[in-house]
């Protein structure tokens, strides 16, 4: 019984360690400028990681100090946490499965269209109220001014691999036909009515293309890339947690069997 309890405690210590990548993924997302402005995924991930940590601590205490009701709480609560984590992994995959960049002639960077992304992500940026807050947050970051420091010549900029967010927010769409002066200052063509984003572009460094659909699409493309990375971490942790949980269930069952056998022997021979 003591051996099985120690095994359960050790297994739950591993579960405690597995909560760290989940919490870390949420913290990493919160440090990325685009996720910090949108604030959708990071807090659910952090909260779920903390809940898994709390449940694992309960199992650890229940295992080493042989508290049966705490172990039962652990088994039920951890199963719920695993189901929630699995739902989150599937959800992230489903909302990020759509949306990819488009190549433009003589450009190395990609451009993005809002309609390419999932309805869930589009709804996060289409509301004027929500976008005003996100736009003000994005415009306060140095992502566009950094382009001016890095690229002086047009061809250098056209050959650059800039982020989706910079592609969508810091310059006009290529199809508008603007003439390059620097990455955030462009000369307007005679006819710029090819797209509404062409009209929304402004050389005002506080405006640029932050009101463009291309900026919203670039933001979603950035989110997709970062969410996919976080999803890989969550998926690996989920698989490890399932194995730890199954081993814990076997150890708990063995402990109960040993306990019943001990009581049977005591009742027989005493």
């Amino acid at each position: 019984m003591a051996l099985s309890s120690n095994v359960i405690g050790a297994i739950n210590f591993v579960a405690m360690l597995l909560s760290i990548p989940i919490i870390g993924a949420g913290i990493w997302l919160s440090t990325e400028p685009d996720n910090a402005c949108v604030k959708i995924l990071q807090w659910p991930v952090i909260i779920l990681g903390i809940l898994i940590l709390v449940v694992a601590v309960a199992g650890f205490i229940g295992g080493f100090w042989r508290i049966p009701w705490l172990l039962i709480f652990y088994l039920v609560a951890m199963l719920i946490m695993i189901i929630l984590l699995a739902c989150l992994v599937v959800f992230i995959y489903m909302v990020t499965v759509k949306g990819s960049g488009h190549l433009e002639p003589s450009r190395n960077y990609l451009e993005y269209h809002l309609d390419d992304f999932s309805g869930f992500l589009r709804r996060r940026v289409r509301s004027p109220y929500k976008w005003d807050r996100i736009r003000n947050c994005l415009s306060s970051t140095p992502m566009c001014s950094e382009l001016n420091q890095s690229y002086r010549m047009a061809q250098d900029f056209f050959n650059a691999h800039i982020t989706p967010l910079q592609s969508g927010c810091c310059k006009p769409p290529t199809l508008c036909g603007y003439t390059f002066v620097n990455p955030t200052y462009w000369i307007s063509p005679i006819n710029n009515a090819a797209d509404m984003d062409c009209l929304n572009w402004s050389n005002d460094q506080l405006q640029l293309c932050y009101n463009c659909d291309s900026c919203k699409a670039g933001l979603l493309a950035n989110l997709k890339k970062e969410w996919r990375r976080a999803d890989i971490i969550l998926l690996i942790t989920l698989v490890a947690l399932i194995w730890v949980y199954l081993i814990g269930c076997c150890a708990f069952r063995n402990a109960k069997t040993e306990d019943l056998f001990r009581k049977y022997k005591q009742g027989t021979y005493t």
Side-chain angles (χ1 to χ4, degrees):
M1 178 65 179
L3 177 61
S4 295
S5 297
N6 290 338
V7 169
I8 294 172
I11 289 169
N12 291 327
F13 179 74
V14 175
M16 290 165 55
L17 296 179
L18 289 174
S19 69
I20 295 174
I22 301 174
I23 298 172
I27 294 173
W28 172 70
L29 287 173
S30 68
T31 61
E32 295 298 307
D34 48 346
N35 278 282
C37 291
V38 179
K39 298 178 181 176
I40 301 175
L41 186 65
Q42 56 265 49
W43 282 112
V45 172
I46 291 172
I47 291 171
L48 184 58
I50 292 172
L51 289 175
I52 290 173
L53 175 61
V54 171
V55 171
V57 169
F60 177 76
I61 294 172
F64 271 114
W65 277 268
R66 305 177 196 174
I67 307 174
W69 69 266
L70 205 53
L71 284 174
I72 293 172
F73 165 79
Y74 159 78
L75 291 174
V76 174
M78 185 57 77
L79 178 61
I80 295 173
M81 294 299 104
I82 287 174
I83 292 172
L84 289 176
L85 181 57
C87 291
L88 184 60
V89 168
V90 172
F91 168 77
I92 294 172
Y93 174 78
M94 293 302 294
V95 300
T96 58
V97 72
K98 296 173 61 178
S100 57
H102 300 269
L103 280 170
E104 295 289 341
S106 304
R107 303 289 190 272
N108 271 356
Y109 50 75
L110 301 176
E111 301 202 358
Y112 302 86
H113 302 153
L114 189 57
D115 290 337
D116 290 342
F117 294 89
S118 67
F120 172 84
L121 289 178
R122 292 200 306 270
R123 287 191 292 273
R124 305 284 76 77
V125 298
R126 271 190 167 156
S127 165
Y129 169 75
K130 291 179 181 178
W131 183 250
D132 283 345
R133 177 181 59 79
I134 295 170
R135 180 191 62 203
N136 291 335
C137 179
L138 291 176
S139 63
S140 67
T141 66
M143 64 174 182
C144 292
S145 60
E146 288 173 351
L147 293 177
N148 290 334
Q149 298 170 7
S150 301
Y151 305 104
R152 301 291 184 183
M153 306 298 293
Q155 198 57 47
D156 291 339
F157 180 67
F158 297 154
N159 291 334
H161 295 280
I162 60 179
T163 68
L165 201 53
Q166 290 173 323
S167 175
C169 303
C170 301
K171 63 169 191 59
T174 301
L175 61 83
C176 297
Y178 279 75
T179 302
F180 177 94
V181 176
N182 68 44
T184 62
Y185 195 95
W186 299 69
I187 298 174
S188 174
I190 296 175
N191 179 17
N192 62 354
D195 189 275
M196 275 302 297
D197 282 358
C198 303
L199 299 175
N200 287 331
W201 166 261
S202 172
N203 283 318
D204 183 338
Q205 298 300 292
L206 296 178
Q207 297 294 324
L208 299 178
C209 220
Y210 289 117
N211 288 319
C212 301
D213 281 351
S214 65
C215 185
K216 298 175 183 178
L219 172 65
L220 297 185
N222 247 45
L223 289 179
K224 173 184 174 178
K225 179 175 67 175
E226 291 162 4
W227 287 18
R228 278 296 181 89
R229 290 176 181 172
D231 204 33
I232 292 172
I233 296 172
L234 297 181
L235 177 60
I236 294 171
T237 307
L238 172 63
V239 172
L241 269 177
I242 291 173
W243 275 106
V244 166
Y245 181 77
L246 292 176
I247 295 171
C249 287
C250 292
F252 181 75
R253 185 183 63 185
N254 291 339
K256 294 293 290 182
T257 302
E258 290 170 11
D259 191 37
L260 289 172
F261 185 68
R262 178 179 56 81
K263 289 178 180 179
Y264 173 76
K265 286 180 65 177
Q266 289 175 346
T268 303
Y269 297 108
T270 60

